[in-house]
Short mmCIF file of all heavy atoms in Angstrom, two decimals:
data_model
loop_
_atom_site.label_atom_id
_atom_site.label_comp_id
_atom_site.label_asym_id
_atom_site.label_seq_id
_atom_site.Cartn_x
_atom_site.Cartn_y
_atom_site.Cartn_z
N MET A 53 47.05 -114.28 257.77
CA MET A 53 45.87 -114.53 258.59
C MET A 53 46.27 -115.04 259.98
O MET A 53 46.93 -116.07 260.11
CB MET A 53 44.97 -115.57 257.90
CG MET A 53 44.15 -114.97 256.77
SD MET A 53 42.92 -113.82 257.37
CE MET A 53 41.74 -113.94 256.02
N ALA A 54 45.86 -114.37 261.00
CA ALA A 54 46.22 -114.77 262.35
C ALA A 54 45.27 -115.83 262.88
O ALA A 54 45.63 -116.61 263.74
CB ALA A 54 46.20 -113.56 263.27
N HIS A 55 44.07 -115.84 262.33
CA HIS A 55 43.07 -116.77 262.85
C HIS A 55 42.91 -117.98 261.95
O HIS A 55 43.02 -117.90 260.74
CB HIS A 55 41.72 -116.05 262.99
CG HIS A 55 41.79 -114.89 263.90
ND1 HIS A 55 41.90 -115.01 265.27
CD2 HIS A 55 41.80 -113.56 263.65
CE1 HIS A 55 41.96 -113.80 265.80
NE2 HIS A 55 41.90 -112.92 264.86
N ARG A 56 42.60 -119.10 262.56
CA ARG A 56 42.41 -120.31 261.79
C ARG A 56 40.94 -120.72 261.85
O ARG A 56 40.37 -120.90 262.92
CB ARG A 56 43.26 -121.44 262.37
CG ARG A 56 44.75 -121.14 262.20
CD ARG A 56 45.58 -122.15 262.97
NE ARG A 56 45.25 -123.52 262.60
CZ ARG A 56 45.65 -124.59 263.31
NH1 ARG A 56 46.34 -124.41 264.40
NH2 ARG A 56 45.34 -125.79 262.91
N LEU A 57 40.36 -120.89 260.69
CA LEU A 57 38.97 -121.29 260.60
C LEU A 57 38.84 -122.79 260.46
O LEU A 57 39.58 -123.41 259.71
CB LEU A 57 38.32 -120.61 259.38
CG LEU A 57 37.82 -119.20 259.61
CD1 LEU A 57 37.48 -118.57 258.27
CD2 LEU A 57 36.61 -119.20 260.50
N LYS A 58 37.89 -123.35 261.16
CA LYS A 58 37.65 -124.77 261.01
C LYS A 58 36.81 -125.02 259.77
O LYS A 58 36.15 -124.13 259.24
CB LYS A 58 36.93 -125.29 262.26
CG LYS A 58 37.81 -125.20 263.50
CD LYS A 58 37.23 -126.00 264.63
CE LYS A 58 38.17 -125.96 265.84
NZ LYS A 58 37.66 -126.77 266.96
N ALA A 59 36.83 -126.26 259.32
CA ALA A 59 36.06 -126.63 258.14
C ALA A 59 34.58 -126.50 258.42
O ALA A 59 34.12 -126.53 259.56
CB ALA A 59 36.39 -128.06 257.73
N CYS A 60 33.81 -126.38 257.35
CA CYS A 60 32.36 -126.24 257.47
C CYS A 60 31.76 -127.49 258.12
O CYS A 60 32.04 -128.61 257.69
CB CYS A 60 31.77 -126.03 256.08
SG CYS A 60 29.97 -125.97 256.08
N PRO A 61 30.91 -127.30 259.16
CA PRO A 61 30.32 -128.45 259.84
C PRO A 61 29.21 -129.11 259.01
O PRO A 61 28.78 -130.22 259.31
CB PRO A 61 29.74 -127.85 261.13
CG PRO A 61 29.46 -126.44 260.77
CD PRO A 61 30.52 -126.04 259.77
N PHE A 62 28.76 -128.44 257.97
CA PHE A 62 27.63 -128.94 257.18
C PHE A 62 28.09 -129.74 255.96
O PHE A 62 27.54 -130.79 255.65
CB PHE A 62 26.74 -127.79 256.75
CG PHE A 62 26.22 -127.00 257.92
CD1 PHE A 62 26.74 -125.76 258.22
CD2 PHE A 62 25.23 -127.52 258.73
CE1 PHE A 62 26.27 -125.03 259.31
CE2 PHE A 62 24.75 -126.81 259.82
CZ PHE A 62 25.27 -125.56 260.11
N CYS A 63 29.09 -129.23 255.25
CA CYS A 63 29.52 -129.92 254.03
C CYS A 63 30.99 -130.33 254.09
O CYS A 63 31.48 -131.00 253.20
CB CYS A 63 29.26 -129.02 252.81
SG CYS A 63 30.36 -127.62 252.71
N GLY A 64 31.69 -129.93 255.14
CA GLY A 64 33.08 -130.33 255.30
C GLY A 64 34.06 -129.51 254.48
O GLY A 64 35.25 -129.79 254.47
N SER A 65 33.57 -128.49 253.80
CA SER A 65 34.44 -127.67 252.97
C SER A 65 35.39 -126.83 253.82
O SER A 65 35.04 -126.39 254.92
CB SER A 65 33.60 -126.74 252.09
OG SER A 65 34.44 -125.82 251.43
N ARG A 66 36.57 -126.60 253.31
CA ARG A 66 37.51 -125.73 254.02
C ARG A 66 37.50 -124.33 253.41
O ARG A 66 38.32 -123.48 253.76
CB ARG A 66 38.91 -126.32 253.94
CG ARG A 66 39.00 -127.70 254.60
CD ARG A 66 40.43 -128.16 254.72
NE ARG A 66 41.13 -127.42 255.76
CZ ARG A 66 41.11 -127.76 257.06
NH1 ARG A 66 40.44 -128.80 257.45
NH2 ARG A 66 41.77 -127.06 257.94
N LYS A 67 36.59 -124.10 252.49
CA LYS A 67 36.50 -122.78 251.87
C LYS A 67 35.63 -121.86 252.73
O LYS A 67 34.61 -121.36 252.29
CB LYS A 67 35.91 -122.90 250.45
CG LYS A 67 36.83 -123.63 249.49
CD LYS A 67 36.18 -123.72 248.12
CE LYS A 67 37.04 -124.55 247.18
NZ LYS A 67 36.34 -124.79 245.88
N THR A 68 36.04 -121.72 253.96
CA THR A 68 35.32 -120.84 254.87
C THR A 68 36.11 -119.55 255.02
O THR A 68 37.34 -119.57 255.06
CB THR A 68 35.15 -121.50 256.24
OG1 THR A 68 36.41 -122.02 256.68
CG2 THR A 68 34.17 -122.68 256.16
N GLU A 69 35.41 -118.44 255.09
CA GLU A 69 36.11 -117.17 255.21
C GLU A 69 35.27 -116.15 255.97
O GLU A 69 34.04 -116.16 255.89
CB GLU A 69 36.49 -116.63 253.84
CG GLU A 69 35.29 -116.29 252.98
CD GLU A 69 35.73 -115.72 251.65
OE1 GLU A 69 36.89 -115.86 251.29
OE2 GLU A 69 34.87 -115.12 250.98
N PRO A 70 35.96 -115.27 256.70
CA PRO A 70 35.27 -114.19 257.42
C PRO A 70 34.71 -113.18 256.44
O PRO A 70 35.33 -112.87 255.42
CB PRO A 70 36.38 -113.55 258.27
CG PRO A 70 37.57 -114.45 258.16
CD PRO A 70 37.40 -115.22 256.90
N THR A 71 33.52 -112.70 256.73
CA THR A 71 32.86 -111.73 255.86
C THR A 71 32.36 -110.56 256.70
O THR A 71 31.90 -110.75 257.82
CB THR A 71 31.66 -112.40 255.15
OG1 THR A 71 32.12 -113.51 254.41
CG2 THR A 71 30.97 -111.42 254.22
N GLN A 72 32.47 -109.36 256.13
CA GLN A 72 31.94 -108.20 256.82
C GLN A 72 30.72 -107.68 256.09
O GLN A 72 30.72 -107.56 254.86
CB GLN A 72 33.00 -107.09 256.91
CG GLN A 72 32.47 -105.86 257.64
CD GLN A 72 33.52 -104.77 257.78
OE1 GLN A 72 34.61 -104.86 257.22
NE2 GLN A 72 33.19 -103.73 258.52
N TYR A 73 29.65 -107.42 256.84
CA TYR A 73 28.45 -106.84 256.26
C TYR A 73 28.09 -105.63 257.10
O TYR A 73 27.68 -105.76 258.24
CB TYR A 73 27.32 -107.87 256.23
CG TYR A 73 26.05 -107.34 255.62
CD1 TYR A 73 25.94 -107.19 254.24
CD2 TYR A 73 24.97 -106.97 256.42
CE1 TYR A 73 24.78 -106.69 253.67
CE2 TYR A 73 23.81 -106.47 255.86
CZ TYR A 73 23.72 -106.33 254.49
OH TYR A 73 22.57 -105.82 253.93
N HIS A 74 28.27 -104.45 256.53
CA HIS A 74 28.12 -103.21 257.30
C HIS A 74 29.01 -103.28 258.53
O HIS A 74 30.21 -103.42 258.37
CB HIS A 74 26.64 -102.98 257.65
CG HIS A 74 25.81 -102.73 256.43
ND1 HIS A 74 25.98 -101.64 255.62
CD2 HIS A 74 24.81 -103.46 255.89
CE1 HIS A 74 25.12 -101.70 254.61
NE2 HIS A 74 24.39 -102.80 254.76
N SER A 75 28.45 -103.30 259.74
CA SER A 75 29.31 -103.27 260.93
C SER A 75 29.37 -104.61 261.64
O SER A 75 29.88 -104.71 262.75
CB SER A 75 28.81 -102.20 261.91
OG SER A 75 27.47 -102.48 262.29
N ILE A 76 28.85 -105.66 261.00
CA ILE A 76 28.92 -106.97 261.64
C ILE A 76 29.80 -107.92 260.84
O ILE A 76 30.00 -107.75 259.63
CB ILE A 76 27.52 -107.59 261.83
CG1 ILE A 76 26.84 -107.79 260.48
CG2 ILE A 76 26.67 -106.74 262.77
CD1 ILE A 76 25.57 -108.61 260.56
N PHE A 77 30.28 -108.93 261.53
CA PHE A 77 31.15 -109.92 260.90
C PHE A 77 30.57 -111.31 261.11
O PHE A 77 29.99 -111.59 262.15
CB PHE A 77 32.55 -109.87 261.54
CG PHE A 77 33.28 -108.58 261.31
CD1 PHE A 77 33.02 -107.47 262.11
CD2 PHE A 77 34.21 -108.48 260.29
CE1 PHE A 77 33.70 -106.28 261.90
CE2 PHE A 77 34.90 -107.29 260.08
CZ PHE A 77 34.63 -106.19 260.89
N PHE A 78 30.75 -112.15 260.11
CA PHE A 78 30.37 -113.56 260.28
C PHE A 78 31.18 -114.38 259.30
O PHE A 78 31.75 -113.87 258.35
CB PHE A 78 28.87 -113.77 260.06
CG PHE A 78 28.34 -113.18 258.78
CD1 PHE A 78 28.30 -113.94 257.62
CD2 PHE A 78 27.89 -111.87 258.74
CE1 PHE A 78 27.82 -113.39 256.43
CE2 PHE A 78 27.41 -111.31 257.57
CZ PHE A 78 27.38 -112.08 256.40
N VAL A 79 31.22 -115.69 259.56
CA VAL A 79 31.97 -116.59 258.70
C VAL A 79 30.99 -117.27 257.74
O VAL A 79 29.90 -117.67 258.14
CB VAL A 79 32.70 -117.66 259.53
CG1 VAL A 79 33.39 -118.68 258.63
CG2 VAL A 79 33.73 -116.99 260.44
N VAL A 80 31.37 -117.36 256.49
CA VAL A 80 30.53 -118.05 255.52
C VAL A 80 31.30 -119.18 254.85
O VAL A 80 32.52 -119.13 254.71
CB VAL A 80 30.01 -117.09 254.42
CG1 VAL A 80 29.10 -116.03 255.02
CG2 VAL A 80 31.15 -116.45 253.68
N CYS A 81 30.55 -120.22 254.47
CA CYS A 81 31.12 -121.30 253.69
C CYS A 81 30.83 -121.02 252.22
O CYS A 81 29.69 -120.79 251.83
CB CYS A 81 30.48 -122.63 254.11
SG CYS A 81 30.92 -123.98 252.99
N ARG A 82 31.86 -121.01 251.42
CA ARG A 82 31.69 -120.65 250.01
C ARG A 82 31.08 -121.79 249.20
O ARG A 82 30.68 -121.59 248.06
CB ARG A 82 33.04 -120.25 249.41
CG ARG A 82 33.63 -119.07 250.16
CD ARG A 82 34.77 -118.45 249.40
NE ARG A 82 34.29 -117.74 248.22
CZ ARG A 82 35.05 -116.98 247.45
NH1 ARG A 82 36.30 -116.84 247.72
NH2 ARG A 82 34.56 -116.39 246.40
N ASP A 83 31.03 -122.98 249.77
CA ASP A 83 30.48 -124.11 249.03
C ASP A 83 28.98 -124.28 249.27
O ASP A 83 28.21 -124.44 248.33
CB ASP A 83 31.22 -125.40 249.41
CG ASP A 83 32.50 -125.55 248.61
OD1 ASP A 83 32.62 -124.87 247.57
OD2 ASP A 83 33.37 -126.32 249.02
N CYS A 84 28.54 -124.27 250.55
CA CYS A 84 27.11 -124.49 250.83
C CYS A 84 26.44 -123.23 251.36
O CYS A 84 25.25 -123.25 251.64
CB CYS A 84 26.93 -125.66 251.80
SG CYS A 84 27.39 -125.27 253.51
N HIS A 85 27.19 -122.15 251.49
CA HIS A 85 26.65 -120.84 251.89
C HIS A 85 26.10 -120.84 253.31
O HIS A 85 25.24 -120.02 253.63
CB HIS A 85 25.59 -120.37 250.89
CG HIS A 85 26.11 -120.31 249.48
ND1 HIS A 85 27.02 -119.36 249.06
CD2 HIS A 85 25.88 -121.10 248.41
CE1 HIS A 85 27.30 -119.58 247.79
NE2 HIS A 85 26.63 -120.63 247.37
N ALA A 86 26.55 -121.77 254.13
CA ALA A 86 26.20 -121.70 255.55
C ALA A 86 26.90 -120.49 256.15
O ALA A 86 28.00 -120.14 255.74
CB ALA A 86 26.63 -122.97 256.26
N ASP A 87 26.25 -119.85 257.11
CA ASP A 87 26.92 -118.73 257.77
C ASP A 87 26.89 -118.89 259.28
O ASP A 87 25.99 -119.52 259.84
CB ASP A 87 26.33 -117.38 257.34
CG ASP A 87 24.83 -117.32 257.56
OD1 ASP A 87 24.26 -118.33 258.01
OD2 ASP A 87 24.24 -116.27 257.28
N GLY A 88 27.90 -118.35 259.91
CA GLY A 88 28.04 -118.45 261.36
C GLY A 88 27.37 -117.29 262.06
O GLY A 88 26.79 -116.41 261.42
N PRO A 89 27.45 -117.29 263.40
CA PRO A 89 26.85 -116.22 264.19
C PRO A 89 27.46 -114.86 263.85
O PRO A 89 28.65 -114.77 263.61
CB PRO A 89 27.19 -116.62 265.63
CG PRO A 89 27.53 -118.09 265.58
CD PRO A 89 28.10 -118.31 264.21
N ALA A 90 26.61 -113.84 263.84
CA ALA A 90 27.07 -112.48 263.55
C ALA A 90 27.67 -111.87 264.82
O ALA A 90 27.09 -111.96 265.89
CB ALA A 90 25.92 -111.62 263.06
N LYS A 91 28.85 -111.28 264.64
CA LYS A 91 29.55 -110.69 265.78
C LYS A 91 30.01 -109.29 265.44
O LYS A 91 29.98 -108.87 264.28
CB LYS A 91 30.75 -111.55 266.18
CG LYS A 91 30.37 -112.95 266.64
CD LYS A 91 29.63 -112.89 267.98
CE LYS A 91 29.21 -114.29 268.40
NZ LYS A 91 28.52 -114.27 269.70
N ASP A 92 30.51 -108.58 266.46
CA ASP A 92 30.97 -107.21 266.27
C ASP A 92 32.37 -107.12 265.69
O ASP A 92 32.77 -106.07 265.20
CB ASP A 92 30.94 -106.45 267.60
CG ASP A 92 29.51 -106.23 268.09
OD1 ASP A 92 28.62 -106.16 267.24
OD2 ASP A 92 29.32 -106.13 269.30
N SER A 93 33.11 -108.20 265.76
CA SER A 93 34.47 -108.18 265.24
C SER A 93 34.77 -109.47 264.49
O SER A 93 34.11 -110.50 264.73
CB SER A 93 35.50 -107.98 266.36
OG SER A 93 35.59 -109.15 267.14
N GLU A 94 35.74 -109.41 263.62
CA GLU A 94 36.09 -110.59 262.83
C GLU A 94 36.59 -111.71 263.72
O GLU A 94 36.23 -112.88 263.53
CB GLU A 94 37.18 -110.20 261.82
CG GLU A 94 37.53 -111.35 260.88
CD GLU A 94 38.57 -110.93 259.85
OE1 GLU A 94 38.24 -110.13 258.96
OE2 GLU A 94 39.72 -111.38 259.96
N SER A 95 37.39 -111.38 264.72
CA SER A 95 37.95 -112.43 265.59
C SER A 95 36.84 -113.10 266.39
O SER A 95 36.87 -114.31 266.61
CB SER A 95 39.01 -111.83 266.52
OG SER A 95 38.46 -110.81 267.32
N ASP A 96 35.83 -112.34 266.81
CA ASP A 96 34.71 -112.93 267.55
C ASP A 96 33.90 -113.84 266.64
O ASP A 96 33.43 -114.90 267.06
CB ASP A 96 33.80 -111.84 268.11
CG ASP A 96 34.35 -111.23 269.39
OD1 ASP A 96 35.36 -111.76 269.89
OD2 ASP A 96 33.79 -110.24 269.86
N ALA A 97 33.71 -113.43 265.40
CA ALA A 97 32.95 -114.24 264.44
C ALA A 97 33.66 -115.57 264.19
O ALA A 97 33.04 -116.63 264.12
CB ALA A 97 32.77 -113.47 263.14
N ILE A 98 34.98 -115.50 264.06
CA ILE A 98 35.76 -116.72 263.84
C ILE A 98 35.69 -117.63 265.05
O ILE A 98 35.49 -118.84 264.93
CB ILE A 98 37.23 -116.34 263.53
CG1 ILE A 98 37.33 -115.67 262.16
CG2 ILE A 98 38.13 -117.58 263.59
CD1 ILE A 98 38.69 -115.07 261.86
N GLU A 99 35.77 -117.04 266.24
CA GLU A 99 35.70 -117.84 267.46
C GLU A 99 34.33 -118.50 267.57
O GLU A 99 34.22 -119.67 267.94
CB GLU A 99 35.96 -116.94 268.67
CG GLU A 99 36.08 -117.73 269.96
CD GLU A 99 36.47 -116.85 271.14
OE1 GLU A 99 37.11 -115.80 270.91
OE2 GLU A 99 36.13 -117.20 272.27
N ALA A 100 33.29 -117.77 267.24
CA ALA A 100 31.93 -118.32 267.32
C ALA A 100 31.76 -119.46 266.32
O ALA A 100 31.14 -120.48 266.62
CB ALA A 100 30.92 -117.21 267.05
N TRP A 101 32.31 -119.28 265.13
CA TRP A 101 32.22 -120.33 264.12
C TRP A 101 32.95 -121.59 264.59
O TRP A 101 32.43 -122.70 264.52
CB TRP A 101 32.84 -119.82 262.81
CG TRP A 101 33.00 -120.87 261.76
CD1 TRP A 101 34.08 -121.68 261.56
CD2 TRP A 101 32.04 -121.22 260.76
NE1 TRP A 101 33.86 -122.49 260.50
CE2 TRP A 101 32.62 -122.24 259.98
CE3 TRP A 101 30.77 -120.77 260.43
CZ2 TRP A 101 31.96 -122.82 258.90
CZ3 TRP A 101 30.11 -121.34 259.36
CH2 TRP A 101 30.70 -122.36 258.61
N ASN A 102 34.16 -121.42 265.08
CA ASN A 102 34.94 -122.56 265.55
C ASN A 102 34.26 -123.26 266.73
O ASN A 102 34.30 -124.47 266.85
CB ASN A 102 36.34 -122.10 265.95
CG ASN A 102 37.17 -121.74 264.74
OD1 ASN A 102 36.84 -122.09 263.62
ND2 ASN A 102 38.26 -121.03 264.96
N THR A 103 33.64 -122.49 267.60
CA THR A 103 32.96 -123.06 268.76
C THR A 103 31.77 -123.90 268.31
O THR A 103 31.53 -124.98 268.82
CB THR A 103 32.47 -121.93 269.69
OG1 THR A 103 33.59 -121.19 270.13
CG2 THR A 103 31.73 -122.50 270.89
N ARG A 104 31.04 -123.39 267.31
CA ARG A 104 29.88 -124.12 266.84
C ARG A 104 30.31 -125.44 266.20
O ARG A 104 29.68 -126.47 266.38
CB ARG A 104 29.07 -123.29 265.83
CG ARG A 104 27.79 -124.00 265.44
CD ARG A 104 26.92 -123.11 264.58
NE ARG A 104 27.51 -122.93 263.26
CZ ARG A 104 26.86 -122.39 262.25
NH1 ARG A 104 25.65 -121.93 262.42
NH2 ARG A 104 27.42 -122.26 261.07
N VAL A 105 31.41 -125.39 265.45
CA VAL A 105 31.91 -126.59 264.80
C VAL A 105 32.27 -127.63 265.85
O VAL A 105 31.93 -128.80 265.73
CB VAL A 105 33.16 -126.26 263.94
CG1 VAL A 105 33.83 -127.54 263.48
CG2 VAL A 105 32.76 -125.39 262.76
N THR A 106 32.92 -127.20 266.91
CA THR A 106 33.33 -128.13 267.97
C THR A 106 32.11 -128.75 268.63
O THR A 106 32.06 -129.94 268.87
CB THR A 106 34.15 -127.38 269.03
OG1 THR A 106 35.28 -126.81 268.39
CG2 THR A 106 34.62 -128.32 270.12
N ARG A 107 31.09 -127.93 268.91
CA ARG A 107 29.89 -128.44 269.56
C ARG A 107 29.18 -129.43 268.67
O ARG A 107 28.68 -130.44 269.13
CB ARG A 107 28.95 -127.28 269.88
CG ARG A 107 29.41 -126.50 271.11
CD ARG A 107 28.46 -125.36 271.41
NE ARG A 107 28.93 -124.58 272.57
CZ ARG A 107 28.54 -123.34 272.81
NH1 ARG A 107 27.72 -122.73 271.98
NH2 ARG A 107 28.98 -122.72 273.87
N LYS A 108 29.14 -129.13 267.38
CA LYS A 108 28.47 -130.04 266.45
C LYS A 108 29.16 -131.40 266.44
O LYS A 108 28.52 -132.44 266.50
CB LYS A 108 28.53 -129.43 265.03
CG LYS A 108 27.96 -130.32 263.95
CD LYS A 108 26.45 -130.19 263.87
CE LYS A 108 25.92 -130.61 262.51
NZ LYS A 108 26.24 -132.00 262.19
N MET A 109 30.49 -131.38 266.46
CA MET A 109 31.24 -132.63 266.42
C MET A 109 31.07 -133.39 267.73
O MET A 109 30.98 -134.62 267.74
CB MET A 109 32.71 -132.34 266.15
CG MET A 109 32.94 -131.81 264.73
SD MET A 109 34.66 -131.36 264.44
CE MET A 109 35.41 -132.98 264.36
N ASP A 110 31.00 -132.68 268.84
CA ASP A 110 30.79 -133.35 270.13
C ASP A 110 29.45 -134.06 270.13
O ASP A 110 29.32 -135.16 270.62
CB ASP A 110 30.82 -132.31 271.26
CG ASP A 110 32.26 -131.89 271.58
OD1 ASP A 110 33.16 -132.55 271.08
OD2 ASP A 110 32.44 -130.91 272.30
N GLY A 111 28.43 -133.40 269.57
CA GLY A 111 27.11 -133.99 269.54
C GLY A 111 27.08 -135.26 268.70
O GLY A 111 26.47 -136.25 269.06
N ASP A 112 27.78 -135.22 267.58
CA ASP A 112 27.82 -136.38 266.69
C ASP A 112 28.56 -137.54 267.34
O ASP A 112 28.30 -138.71 267.06
CB ASP A 112 28.49 -136.02 265.37
CG ASP A 112 27.60 -135.12 264.53
OD1 ASP A 112 26.41 -135.01 264.87
OD2 ASP A 112 28.09 -134.54 263.55
N GLY A 113 29.51 -137.22 268.23
CA GLY A 113 30.31 -138.24 268.87
C GLY A 113 29.47 -139.16 269.76
O GLY A 113 29.81 -140.30 269.98
N HIS A 114 28.37 -138.62 270.25
CA HIS A 114 27.48 -139.45 271.07
C HIS A 114 26.47 -140.10 270.17
O HIS A 114 25.71 -140.81 270.34
CB HIS A 114 26.78 -138.58 272.13
CG HIS A 114 27.62 -138.43 273.38
ND1 HIS A 114 27.73 -139.37 274.34
CD2 HIS A 114 28.40 -137.40 273.78
CE1 HIS A 114 28.53 -138.93 275.30
NE2 HIS A 114 28.96 -137.76 274.99
ZN1 ZN B 250 29.64 -125.75 253.80
#
């Protein structure tokens, strides 16, 4: 795996994995079934997931 997924922002699980549905890709958490933004490629889906996790943590920091 070239890409690194961050832990789930909702339950903290590290069982996150990229999923393909027809022609779109998104990251899902296997523990709480949260899913990330749908993208055209797996790498974009992973980036979107990681970005959301970072933003969530920044918000909690305040
Ligand atoms: Zn989760």
Side-chain angles (χ1 to χ4, degrees):
M53 282 293 205
H55 300 287
R56 294 171 55 193
L57 276 169
K58 294 194 177 182
C60 176
F62 302 105
C63 72
S65 172
R66 299 190 73 86
K67 293 179 185 173
T68 49
E69 64 178 16
T71 302
Q72 180 178 7
Y73 181 76
H74 295 296
S75 59
I76 61 170
F77 295 82
F78 51 91
V79 175
V80 296
C81 170
R82 301 194 71 172
D83 277 342
C84 74
H85 304 289
D87 54 359
K91 297 291 178 179
D92 292 332
S93 72
E94 184 178 290
S95 59
D96 280 353
I98 291 171
E99 188 175 333
W101 172 270
N102 288 345
T103 299
R104 186 173 70 169
V105 170
T106 301
R107 283 179 182 160
K108 175 83 158 60
M109 292 176 72
D110 283 349
D112 288 346
H114 274 281

